Amino acid sequence: METRYGFRLQRSGTNRILALVLALTLAITAVAPASAQEPAAEPGNETPLYLPSILDNKCYQLRTLSRYGVQLYGATGEGTILHNDLVASGASFIRNEISWAGAEPTNTTPDKYNWAGIDSVAAVVGQGCYNMVMTILGNPLWAAPDVEGVIPAENLPEFAEFMGALVERYDGDGVDDAPGSPQILYFELYNEPDAGPAGSMQRWGEHGKEYAAMLKAIYPAMKAANPKVNVVFGGIAYDFFTDTDPENPADNGPFVRKFLDDVLANGAGPYFDIMNYHFYPLFGVNWTDDYLMDGPSLVKKTDAIRAVLQKYGVNKPIIITEMGWHNNAMYPHGSDVLQVRMVVQLYAQSIVAGIPMSTWWPLSDIGGAYLQDSGLVTYADEDTAPVRKPAYTVFQVLTRELANVRFVKRIVEKEWTNNVVYEFYDVANQRTIYVAWTNPTDPTNIWGSKQRPYVDTTTADNIRLDGTSATVYDAFWQVKGTVVDGNDGRTDGRFQIAINGDPVFIVARK
Ligand SMILES: [Ca+2]
Ligand SMILES: [Ca+2]
Ligand SMILES: [Ca+2]
Ligand SMILES: [Ca+2]
């Protein structure tokens, strides 16, 4: 499990932060909904020989891309154990990973690649027209000394050959396609490549220059195979850095702070289409001076990454290929209540941050040695059926009720403390939706404990919002009540409600 799912990080420090979780394995997502909705075939390039296979392809158009995706591992599609949970979740895209070594264990040419493993990972794309972010992992030993690390320059043409053939197989143009001509438009180059030493292997973290050279080598081959393909930067952890605590090196993590700078300083800007990072709320405190007002701080971390890009004149969409929180009693405190809260908070903040695709990591608990049960459903295998958690229902609510919202503004009134209120506009249903919650009031206890839960539902905060009336829903979209202007003693186009640590959706009429 450890090798398959990456590594689990542990640290012990004066702040008692124990198990960290940053990294796991997978990959990405992407933006550019427009390209996902356009036919992949290029007019003028079809020939009668393969035109019929395009017309037969039921997924000639992929399903509409939304912000909501989940992580799967291994084979996908009808008959796999998580398939029903995937379909009912409302996710529009899936992140999954493949191994270069699996297709090309010994150096050969694309006509002799073994595609079986990759085709099984991609099965759901052709069956259900799902979008997929395919994470590339698993360097063959003949090509590179580390399975997720630097590819020596002399072997970059081999990697470009592989990536070109992979994109060609999943571009749906009828040429050298996988059976059924499924389309995959997002390819992520490695998982958390900003790790330096990671267990027994080295990743790219201390080799930003080589990562840039890799992108430069593969980008033309990928675009030649499919001009509409999106080359996605490997989701960087960008937290738990090697230099976090100079006084206590043993407490530091494996991620190299300057990796992104190094990649961009070496001219990689034109050789990827989408930036990508991971967000685990444990590290939110790293990105804000005012945790009590910013909550998980996803917006702030996005701003920080965007600022690094801008320093090099690079302007790209940013996506998140991993974010999550667990519901088991592992430190930092996990519970169903807290996981539910995180699903709402992280997606709300990702919309605010302008993130077009965010991946809940993972759909199903990893199990085994992996300590945090961050899945929306429980662990599942041939003998164990998955059970949907409360957080799963909340994910469904978001995919259904907040499918088409745009961020309007954050509402701040100076007398308010410890709360976050975002205003969204639901374009399809022409309604205003506020998402609101209070943050922990005790800065010494932001991660909570069994005795002192992080989610404070005992202290209410009264807020006033624009609207003549409103319906208040809990995170499960159960009606909590209705309110009207005048409930605050004034008929002034505003109503008052009390919020607490459990997020609510407030659908208002103005
Ligand atoms: Ca080869
Ligand atoms: Ca093709
Ligand atoms: Ca092609
Ligand atoms: Ca009023």
Side-chain angles (χ1 to χ4, degrees):
M1 294 300 269
E2 287 290 285
T3 53
R4 179 172 174 203
Y5 291 113
F7 54 94
R8 181 167 47 83
L9 302 172
Q10 302 239 337
R11 72 180 282 203
S12 55
T14 54
N15 57 1
R16 294 178 59 247
I17 290 179
L18 286 176
L20 272 210
V21 169
L22 258 195
L24 301 190
T25 14
L26 288 179
I28 284 214
T29 308
V31 165
S35 72
Q37 292 165 21
E38 291 168 12
E42 295 174 80
N45 279 354
E46 299 100 341
T47 71
L49 188 62
Y50 58 83
L51 190 57
S53 74
I54 295 174
L55 297 176
D56 286 346
N57 180 2
K58 70 170 179 173
C59 296
Y60 181 72
Q61 269 192 294
L62 295 172
R63 64 180 60 208
T64 301
L65 187 63
S66 73
R67 297 183 173 88
Y68 305 100
V70 292
Q71 176 82 53
L72 290 175
Y73 290 98
T76 65
E78 292 154 14
T80 57
I81 192 148
L82 294 171
H83 187 66
N84 291 341
D85 296 293
L86 166 69
V87 172
S89 75
S92 71
F93 71 91
I94 296 149
R95 185 195 192 216
N96 206 338
E97 64 187 29
I98 60 102
S99 162
W100 175 19
E104 195 180 6
T106 57
N107 192 3
T108 184
T109 50
D111 57 303
K112 299 190 180 64
Y113 289 172
N114 178 358
W115 292 110
I118 298 175
D119 286 348
S120 74
V121 163
V124 74
V125 173
Q127 292 173 2
C129 310
Y130 280 94
N131 302 275
M132 179 170 279
V133 181
M134 182 174 273
T135 310
I136 313 306
L137 292 174
N139 299 332
L141 280 174
W142 61 262
D146 293 292
V147 294
E148 294 179 40
V150 172
I151 300 169
E154 63 270 23
N155 288 331
L156 286 178
E158 294 291 346
F159 191 43
E161 179 182 64
F162 171 71
M163 289 306 302
L166 180 66
V167 172
E168 184 59 60
R169 187 170 179 83
Y170 296 105
D171 66 353
D173 70 353
V175 178
D176 294 335
D177 287 353
S181 289
Q183 294 179 61
I184 298 175
L185 295 172
Y186 305 98
F187 293 88
E188 173 186 24
L189 277 303
Y190 299 88
N191 177 62
E192 298 183 348
D194 54 334
S200 60
M201 66 176 171
Q202 296 281 326
R203 295 193 192 174
W204 298 84
E206 290 162 351
H207 304 281
K209 182 179 180 181
E210 286 76 13
Y211 191 85
M214 180 274 293
L215 291 176
K216 291 177 189 177
I218 64 172
Y219 191 88
M222 294 173 69
K223 292 290 181 178
N226 181 7
K228 291 180 176 159
V229 76
N230 293 282
V231 179
V232 182
F233 205 104
I236 53 174
Y238 208 60
D239 260 315
F240 201 28
F241 294 115
T242 54
D243 62 355
T244 298
D245 185 352
E247 315 233 314
N248 299 288
D251 288 350
N252 290 334
F255 299 103
V256 179
R257 192 187 300 270
K258 67 184 182 64
F259 172 73
L260 178 57
D261 275 280
D262 287 348
V263 175
L264 296 171
N266 281 283
Y271 300 98
F272 65 97
D273 302 305
I274 296 169
M275 187 55 206
N276 173 26
Y277 80 96
H278 292 173
F279 189 82
Y280 289 100
L282 178 60
F283 303 96
V285 290
N286 294 347
W287 302 104
T288 178
D289 294 328
D290 191 356
Y291 185 85
L292 298 185
M293 282 305 294
D294 291 321
S297 303
L298 186 153
V299 177
K300 298 282 187 184
K301 186 173 176 181
T302 308
D303 288 346
I305 289 172
R306 196 169 275 132
V308 176
L309 296 177
Q310 284 169 353
K311 191 163 68 175
Y312 297 92
V314 174
N315 182 21
K316 311 273 183 185
I318 301 175
I319 65 168
I320 293 176
T321 48
E322 288 186 17
M323 64 182 193
W325 196 260
H326 50 287
N327 75 321
N328 58 331
M330 286 297 305
Y331 189 86
H333 188 58
S335 67
D336 282 330
V337 170
L338 187 49
Q339 192 185 32
V340 160
R341 176 177 152 101
M342 288 294 189
V343 172
V344 176
Q345 290 181 324
L346 296 185
Y347 273 103
Q349 292 204 328
S350 75
I351 297 168
V352 172
I355 305 287
M357 297 168 73
S358 299
T359 315
W360 187 267
W361 189 94
L363 176 59
S364 172
D365 289 344
I366 300 300
Y370 193 76
L371 299 178
Q372 283 81 14
D373 292 336
S374 299
L376 298 174
V377 304
T378 57
Y379 174 78
D381 60 25
E382 312 80 56
D383 304 317
T384 316
V387 177
R388 295 173 185 178
K389 303 180 186 180
Y392 179 93
T393 304
V394 177
F395 186 91
Q396 288 177 307
V397 165
L398 290 167
T399 64
R400 187 182 70 234
E401 303 292 344
L402 276 73
N404 296 298
V405 299
R406 62 178 172 79
F407 174 55
V408 177
K409 61 180 184 288
R410 179 169 179 179
I411 297 169
V412 177
E413 294 196 2
K414 65 178 185 294
E415 68 268 26
W416 299 354
T417 56
N418 298 99
N419 61 43
V420 172
V421 184
Y422 295 122
E423 179 179 340
F424 298 101
Y425 186 69
D426 177 357
V427 180
N429 299 297
Q430 297 189 310
R431 57 185 181 173
T432 290
I433 303 179
Y434 300 100
V435 180
W437 64 79
T438 60
N439 283 317
T441 53
D442 179 357
T444 68
N445 187 41
I446 61 173
W447 295 110
S449 64
K450 283 182 187 174
Q451 293 72 32
R452 300 168 68 203
Y454 170 65
V455 178
D456 181 353
T457 55
T458 59
T459 310
D461 198 3
N462 287 317
I463 61 173
R464 297 177 73 244
L465 298 170
D466 288 343
T468 55
S469 65
T471 304
V472 182
Y473 298 87
D474 67 13
F476 305 96
W477 208 260
Q478 298 298 305
V479 176
K480 286 174 62 100
T482 56
V483 293
V484 294
D485 183 6
N487 75 344
D488 52 359
R490 287 172 277 175
T491 302
D492 57 356
R494 309 187 81 195
F495 57 85
Q496 175 174 299
I497 70 161
I499 62 172
N500 64 25
D502 286 331
V504 288
F505 303 105
I506 303 156
V507 178
R509 284 157 290 278
K510 287 188 174 177

